[in-house]
Amino acid sequence: MFALLRILVLVAIVIIVYAGFRYVREREPRWLRLIRTVLLFVLSIGVIFGVGLFIERLTLG
């Protein structure tokens, strides 16, 4: 489960860096939208995993 999260974060970092370079070069707002979308996706997946782990910890305790 954590391996999947790590892979998703690494892919997100690569996409954000690429979009950042493209934005600096072209100054098109679509690259900023891509960065925002990727960040929101990663944060939402992190929250989902965190809530899942919290609920799992409550049921085991």
Side-chain angles (χ1 to χ4, degrees):
M1 184 160 113
F2 287 110
L4 177 65
L5 187 59
R6 286 181 188 160
I7 290 171
L8 286 175
V9 168
L10 288 176
V11 170
I13 289 171
V14 169
I15 292 172
I16 290 170
V17 169
Y18 175 74
F21 280 124
R22 296 293 295 207
Y23 176 73
V24 168
R25 199 172 208 192
E26 298 176 9
R27 297 288 183 195
E28 289 187 25
R30 67 179 173 157
W31 297 113
L32 291 178
R33 283 194 303 269
L34 178 64
I35 291 172
R36 186 177 60 219
T37 303
V38 170
L39 283 175
L40 289 175
F41 175 74
V42 170
L43 286 174
S44 63
I45 293 294
V47 167
I48 290 170
F49 272 81
V51 168
L53 287 174
F54 181 71
I55 291 172
E56 181 181 357
R57 177 63 99 177
L58 287 178
T59 59
L60 293 177

